[in-house]
Amino acid sequence: MADKKKTDQQTVQATDAKGNPIISAPPSGWRVIFREFTHDKGAMVAFVIMMFIILAAVIGSFFVPQSRYTDVNIMWQWARPGTDGLILGADESGRDVFASLIVGMRNSIGIGWGVAILIELIGIIVGLCSGYFGGWIDNILMRITDFFMILPALMIQIVVITIVPKFSIWVLITMITALGWMSTARLYRAAVLSQAKRDYVLASKTSGSSSFKIMFFEVLPNISSLLLVDITLTFATSVGVETGLTFLGYGLPDTTPSIGRLISYASDPVNMQNYPWSWLPATLMLIILSLSVNYVGKALQRAADARQRLG
Amino acid sequence: MWKTILRRVILMIPQIIVLSLFVFILAKMMPGDPFTGLITPQTSPAQIARLRKEAGLDNPWYVQYVDWIGRALHGDFGMSYQMQRPVTSIIGERAINTLYLSILSVVLTYLIGIPLGVAAGRYEGTWIDTSIQFYNFISMSTPGFVVYMLAIALFGFALGWFPTSGSISVNASGVIGTIGSRIYHIILPSLLIAILGNASIVQYLRSGIVDNKLEDYVKTARSKGVPERVVFNRHILRNSLLPIAAFFGNVITGLLSGSVFAETIFAYPGMGKLFIDSVSGRDYSIMTALILLYGILTLLGNLLSDIIMSIVDPRIRID
């Protein structure tokens, strides 16, 4: 186990400017990432925006009365922003756009996190088994991964969602996960491969640790910085996939407030030109969320990659 | 060379078999059967039962699978439920539109991507590189359909520069008029696809140039006194362009998956739009055929990439 710490620190520069080895212990992987991240001003801005949107959506949705985004109100049909205290106006059925936006953001963010966590779980398990055992296990798992890569994901998601007899939010989450885990699994496999032949693994094997223990308690902590990076980027992708499916009409049902449904108001040219308040805020919100989350992810990636560190 | 290609093609066969099995299972899960398209209100239940028996739907699943594959290999995917016509001819009509859109998109992707990649790699670390990197970050991070939507709202409706739907205008006449109208209809979607989809080309080209700059042969050329322009064009650029060529297959694959959104939003009558239309019309025979077709096209795209790669880079050939 002492070796474990050492490999974690191999990427950290171990000499000072004159080439003398630094005596004091270099900072650990997570601390380096944190320091790198806080030094990156753009990343901090993106992080603040991302957290603001997520918190506003999650906390804000508690204060929005359900009737604002579910009840049909003819008096408010296509109400302009500002009338009757409607910040962003109302949609075709007189539902408050601002309330729908807040709750829709929360739904999309929730699904996005759900999918991201499931994808990381699958990715870690497949990647660890594939990279650690190698041989025929690796071969089989990678052929399965390759097969999933060639499937037309969007089409299969749509077809399954339409033919499933009882549609629920879990069907949506399962379908996005089922066709989105492949690149994550490959990423973890590559990382595990670079660890599998290291001394600490061999030492642990020699002293009789079970494969399970080596995989999950020794290899996994050493590649854990990947998790932070990949879960962020996967979250951003999943939100995009979910809103895309909902936009096409095969994601969240029409009665559930969602970003995708708000954006899809724009698919009718009349709405697009006459009622921009129904779709433009959701569109911009999705773009801002995607950009900020991806930026945070990329910054974490840079921070976790020793070659790209700012110093 | 040929050995590598042959080996690669043989490796594809099990993938196609598994893909077809998967699509077959999906098709079996869908309501309806291969001749739903033949049933009209005049058809009696007895006739349907006879049809079912004749079509072999009472056979075990593996017999049905082999039959289905046999028909699919002959280009017979059954009848469209909605349009009462063979699925193959419907897809054929739409495929040509998707082909036009894809060709222009690929051309534009490379036309925009290569200069940007060259500029970013050549002026690495300067503001040019930084802005290209930032642009690529945005193009990769933004969900495509949102950009299509905003572009159609801005350039299609607000400014009126481009048509907002269809593949050809009704009153286009003559050879030039027809071709012109077609191009006019696909220019905005394909430009957007190219702007959003060139990130991988730019990044590969950039890192290729950045890596090659430090190679020994470049240093040798410089120390021989070769002019900088020639060093860059002959030695650095030429070697960096090779992997980009191999990206061709992957670009096509990416286009296919993107076509559903682009075609739906631009109401362009291609295969992606056909798929969405057949889903909303519950036209299962078309859905099945399109999924199989897209899967096989993706496989062919990957195959193409690998073949080009093994031609331009002999190191990866398998012996």
Side-chain angles (χ1 to χ4, degrees):
Chain A
M1 290 299 278
D3 274 305
K4 190 183 104 191
K5 226 173 202 160
K6 209 182 242 170
T7 49
D8 207 3
Q9 293 155 1
Q10 266 180 4
T11 50
V12 180
Q13 197 176 8
T15 53
D16 66 17
K18 284 175 194 146
N20 304 319
I22 294 171
I23 312 292
S24 64
S28 77
W30 287 91
R31 210 177 298 155
V32 172
I33 291 177
F34 181 73
R35 198 189 61 202
E36 281 292 312
F37 193 77
T38 46
H39 282 195
D40 189 342
K41 286 201 184 69
M44 286 310 284
V45 173
F47 183 73
V48 169
I49 296 174
M50 177 184 95
M51 286 318 285
F52 177 76
I53 296 177
I54 293 178
L55 290 177
V58 173
I59 299 172
S61 59
F62 285 117
F63 297 99
V64 177
Q66 201 186 3
S67 60
R68 296 285 276 196
Y69 55 84
T70 51
D71 290 7
V72 175
N73 184 340
I74 294 176
M75 300 303 288
W76 280 354
Q77 188 180 27
W78 297 125
R80 293 190 157 277
T83 47
D84 289 341
L86 294 163
I87 299 169
L88 290 172
D91 65 5
E92 197 176 9
S93 326
R95 292 175 288 199
D96 185 348
V97 171
F98 184 72
S100 304
L101 185 64
I102 293 280
V103 180
M105 282 307 273
R106 186 204 57 190
N107 291 342
S108 291
I109 289 169
I111 294 175
W113 277 123
V115 171
I117 290 168
L118 284 176
I119 285 182
E120 293 309 308
L121 267 177
I122 299 177
I124 286 174
I125 293 171
V126 173
L128 273 175
C129 292
S130 206
Y132 179 79
F133 291 116
W136 62 272
I137 296 182
D138 180 36
N139 241 324
I140 290 177
L141 285 174
M142 283 304 109
R143 292 299 81 75
I144 295 174
T145 313
D146 288 348
F147 173 69
F148 270 87
M149 296 281 269
I150 60 145
L151 292 178
L154 182 69
M155 290 182 157
I156 291 173
Q157 280 157 349
I158 291 176
V159 166
V160 174
I161 285 166
T162 40
I163 60 177
V164 148
K166 234 184 107 210
F167 178 78
S168 72
I169 210 161
W170 293 105
V171 176
L172 188 60
I173 291 179
T174 315
M175 279 323 290
I176 301 176
T177 308
L179 291 154
W181 56 272
M182 294 79 76
S183 50
T184 300
R186 283 189 174 177
L187 183 80
Y188 281 112
R189 174 180 174 266
V192 174
L193 271 180
S194 75
Q195 300 279 333
K197 292 281 170 283
R198 294 216 179 165
D199 288 344
Y200 76 94
V201 175
L202 300 178
S204 194
K205 243 185 226 173
T206 318
S207 48
S209 306
S210 68
S211 295
F212 180 82
K213 196 174 174 209
I214 299 175
M215 276 155 69
F216 285 92
F217 294 97
E218 288 166 17
V219 174
L220 189 57
N222 274 322
I223 57 168
S224 58
S225 62
L226 264 186
L227 176 68
L228 194 63
V229 175
D230 198 63
I231 202 168
T232 316
L233 294 174
T234 310
F235 166 64
T237 317
S238 316
V239 170
V241 173
E242 181 271 316
T243 44
L245 277 169
T246 311
F247 169 82
L248 288 173
Y250 303 101
L252 290 169
D254 197 38
T255 46
T256 314
S258 59
I259 300 292
R261 181 177 62 87
L262 286 172
I263 298 175
S264 73
Y265 278 122
S267 42
D268 183 345
V270 179
N271 298 347
M272 180 188 264
Q273 292 167 81
N274 299 334
Y275 314 114
W277 61 85
S278 63
W279 60 274
L280 199 56
T283 309
L284 296 178
M285 202 55 138
L286 179 61
I287 293 179
I288 295 170
L289 182 71
S290 299
L291 288 180
S292 59
V293 175
N294 270 302
Y295 199 91
V296 170
K298 294 277 174 207
L300 287 172
Q301 201 168 38
R302 278 197 296 273
D305 183 358
R307 283 166 305 177
Q308 295 186 40
R309 269 179 200 147
L310 301 169
Chain B
M1 182 69 241
W2 288 108
K3 233 168 154 184
T4 315
I5 295 177
L6 191 70
R7 207 188 135 104
R8 186 60 188 72
V9 173
I10 291 170
L11 274 176
M12 220 173 86
I13 293 170
Q15 280 181 307
I16 292 185
I17 294 173
V18 178
L19 174 74
S20 64
L21 259 174
F22 178 85
V23 175
F24 177 74
I25 294 167
L26 208 58
K28 282 284 134 190
M29 278 159 61
M30 295 175 187
D33 37 46
F35 44 82
T36 342
L38 301 170
I39 296 170
T40 55
Q42 281 82 37
T43 324
S44 71
Q47 269 176 301
I48 295 173
R50 193 171 50 80
L51 273 170
R52 279 186 67 87
K53 197 157 181 65
E54 274 172 17
L57 284 182
D58 305 327
N59 293 340
W61 69 268
Y62 47 87
V63 178
Q64 287 189 42
Y65 170 71
V66 172
D67 285 351
W68 178 75
I69 281 293
R71 282 197 303 273
L73 283 175
H74 289 96
D76 176 12
F77 285 97
M79 297 288 277
S80 158
Y81 174 67
Q82 273 194 311
M83 295 181 241
Q84 310 277 327
R85 282 170 49 207
V87 168
T88 320
S89 74
I90 297 173
I91 291 179
E93 286 163 16
R94 300 298 195 93
I96 192 78
N97 283 332
T98 299
L99 184 72
Y100 291 140
L101 183 67
S102 309
I103 290 175
L104 192 62
S105 307
V106 172
V107 170
L108 288 174
T109 307
Y110 277 87
L111 271 183
I112 299 173
I114 290 178
L116 286 181
V118 170
R122 180 155 198 180
Y123 305 106
E124 184 207 352
T126 63
W127 65 270
I128 300 176
D129 183 29
T130 318
S131 18
I132 292 173
Q133 294 281 11
F134 191 67
Y135 151 69
N136 260 200
F137 160 72
I138 291 178
S139 70
M140 273 197 290
S141 309
T142 327
F145 73 98
V146 181
V147 181
Y148 302 146
M149 209 83 249
L150 285 176
I152 207 170
L154 182 62
F155 300 112
F157 289 109
L159 295 171
W161 291 353
F162 294 101
T164 54
S165 69
S167 66
I168 190 164
S169 77
V170 196
N171 42 21
S173 59
V175 180
I176 309 229
T178 317
I179 296 173
S181 173
R182 275 198 183 280
I183 293 177
Y184 186 45
H185 275 82
I186 57 176
I187 195 97
L188 184 60
S190 49
L191 196 62
L192 288 171
I193 292 171
I195 287 173
L196 291 176
N198 60 27
S200 48
I201 290 179
V202 174
Q203 292 308 315
Y204 260 73
L205 193 51
R206 178 186 175 276
S207 55
I209 289 173
V210 169
D211 289 348
N212 282 332
K213 266 182 185 171
L214 303 171
E215 291 285 341
D216 287 342
Y217 61 82
V218 172
K219 285 181 194 153
T220 313
R222 279 216 183 98
S223 56
K224 277 196 307 189
V226 177
E228 186 55 38
R229 189 176 48 83
V230 180
V231 172
F232 189 79
N233 289 339
R234 280 260 183 85
H235 296 265
I236 300 177
L237 188 57
R238 210 177 268 185
N239 280 305
S240 311
L241 278 174
L242 295 180
I244 302 302
F247 241 80
F248 189 68
N250 298 57
V251 169
I252 295 176
T253 310
L255 276 180
L256 282 175
S257 50
S259 72
V260 174
F261 278 114
E263 288 177 3
T264 309
I265 291 169
F266 286 92
Y268 182 80
M271 289 194 290
K273 178 91 167 52
L274 175 67
F275 178 76
I276 293 295
D277 290 346
S278 59
V279 172
S280 46
R282 297 289 187 272
D283 206 331
Y284 297 107
S285 28
I286 292 186
M287 281 149 73
T288 315
L290 279 175
I291 291 177
L292 188 63
L293 185 66
Y294 269 57
I296 288 176
L297 286 175
T298 310
L299 275 174
L300 290 177
N302 292 347
L303 174 74
L304 189 65
S305 267
D306 284 359
I307 290 178
I308 298 176
M309 198 66 197
S310 72
I311 293 173
V312 300
D313 191 350
R315 281 171 300 180
I316 64 148
R317 279 182 209 159
I318 316 156
D319 293 315

